[in-house]
Amino acid sequence: MRTSPSRRPDLLAAGAATVTVVLWASAFVSIRSAGEAYSPGALALGRLLSGALVLGLICLLRREGVPPRSAWRGIAISGVLWFGFYMVVLNWGEQRVDAGTAALVVNVGPILIALLGARLLGDALPPRLLAGMAVSFAGAVTVGLSMSGEGGSSLFGVVLCLLAAVAYAGGVVAQKPALAHASALQVTTFGCLVGAVLCLPFAGQLVRDAAGAPVSATLNVVYLGVFPTALAFTTWAYALARTTAGRMGATTYAVPALVVLMSWLALGEVPGLLTLAGGALCLAGVAVSRSRRRRTPTPPARTEPAPEPRREDTERV
């Protein structure tokens, strides 16, 4: 079955969003492993340096060049908030709270993205998007409660995760206008560079941690930089340029469900029924938020048949 040219951009954007979600889900597993040997700031800097190196080489090969001046405001803000501040604070928060609480608090981010997108970018908030986000957030709450351990959370850790969610939302909304002036690769590459520069004060910690870290932890840092950062942030920017910030934010609600599946396969953590139910709700909400209302085809206008000539008219002729 051949895809119509009009639908091809939508399918490519959906494929890019899928790549992003899968790789970001895998990042949670890698962060848990690397976080045992690397401090939050060192882990963020190592990840950003690895990602910036790969992205910089690709930009040179593709001769992308420097983004135009009109794109730099969004790139700088997203680089500071999302690539820099978000990664450090999230790594720090996940060391203070259990995985379930972290997933629950950070998933406030997509709701903030939708609200900020409507306020600052003029994005619409269709009922299907709001309904899907409500279903997905209920699923995230279910996953978070089912994964939360007793005494594993602190108020400071919850505040850190909430700050991460706010920085994530602000970075996404700032990145959207920049994509109107620069390519997805340019926006991602220079945003990653801005984040790496912001994290340079952790360079000493990175050197010390790398000297004593096992090879597996260092490989996880490199993996985080190459795939969940360089590749996944680029596919995210590609998809974001072709849809609204709110719709893209809602897509990330699939991450908790995939994290549950990956932890089951990679770490042997067998999820309970409540966790599986929450993951299913997350995926169902994403499906609802990404769906579009079907347009009922307009019936063709009925043409009245021409009146037959009267008998007396034909007799005159």
Side-chain angles (χ1 to χ4, degrees):
M1 184 177 178
R2 187 173 294 178
T3 304
S4 63
S6 60
R7 287 198 60 199
R8 188 175 180 185
D10 292 338
L11 292 176
L12 289 175
T18 302
V19 170
T20 298
V21 168
V22 171
L23 290 178
W24 282 356
S26 72
F28 280 87
V29 179
S30 292
I31 288 173
R32 290 180 63 182
S33 176
E36 296 177 358
Y38 286 86
S39 60
L43 176 56
L45 178 59
R47 175 179 178 176
L48 289 168
L49 289 177
S50 301
L53 178 62
V54 172
L55 288 167
L57 289 174
I58 295 174
C59 275
L60 288 175
L61 292 175
R62 291 178 56 88
R63 298 181 180 178
E64 287 281 331
V66 179
R69 184 181 299 178
S70 54
W72 268 104
R73 180 182 177 184
I75 291 173
I77 294 174
S78 66
V80 170
L81 290 180
W82 197 8
F83 287 88
F85 185 77
Y86 166 81
M87 290 193 182
V88 175
V89 173
L90 180 63
N91 293 341
W92 194 4
E94 286 194 8
Q95 292 184 355
R96 297 273 182 161
V97 302
D98 53 77
T101 303
L104 172 60
V105 178
V106 171
N107 272 301
V108 175
I111 299 175
L112 297 176
I113 290 172
L115 296 177
L116 288 174
R119 175 70 176 173
L120 302 177
L121 305 178
D123 291 347
L125 290 175
R128 285 176 182 248
L129 174 61
L130 296 175
M133 293 182 73
V135 173
S136 289
F137 186 71
V141 170
T142 304
V143 171
L145 293 176
S146 67
M147 294 174 64
S148 296
E150 295 182 1
S153 301
S154 69
L155 179 60
F156 182 57
V158 171
V159 170
L160 288 172
C161 290
L162 185 59
L163 288 174
V166 174
Y168 160 48
V172 170
V173 174
Q175 189 185 63
K176 174 68 174 175
L179 291 166
H181 306 283
S183 69
L185 183 58
Q186 287 176 319
V187 171
T188 306
T189 301
F190 287 89
C192 189
L193 284 172
V194 170
V197 171
L198 187 70
C199 292
L200 280 179
F202 301 109
Q205 285 185 346
L206 176 60
V207 172
R208 290 191 295 271
D209 291 348
V215 176
S216 59
T218 303
L219 289 177
N220 271 308
V221 174
V222 175
Y223 170 82
L224 286 167
V226 175
F227 293 99
T229 303
L231 177 57
F233 273 78
T234 303
T235 52
W236 164 275
Y238 176 88
L240 180 62
R242 289 155 178 81
T243 186
T244 64
R247 190 179 290 271
M248 276 301 294
T251 304
T252 61
Y253 273 122
V255 170
L258 292 176
V259 170
V260 170
L261 178 61
M262 290 179 180
S263 297
W264 187 1
L265 296 176
L267 304 177
E269 298 177 352
V270 180
L273 292 177
L274 190 60
T275 306
L276 291 174
L281 278 176
C282 289
L283 295 177
V286 171
V288 172
S289 64
R290 298 288 298 186
S291 64
R292 293 181 180 179
R293 186 176 180 180
R294 292 184 179 180
R295 295 179 179 177
T296 55
T298 306
R302 295 181 62 183
T303 56
E304 297 292 335
E308 295 183 2
R310 293 179 298 176
R311 184 174 179 183
E312 51 268 24
D313 292 340
T314 58
E315 287 179 352
R316 284 178 194 168
V317 177

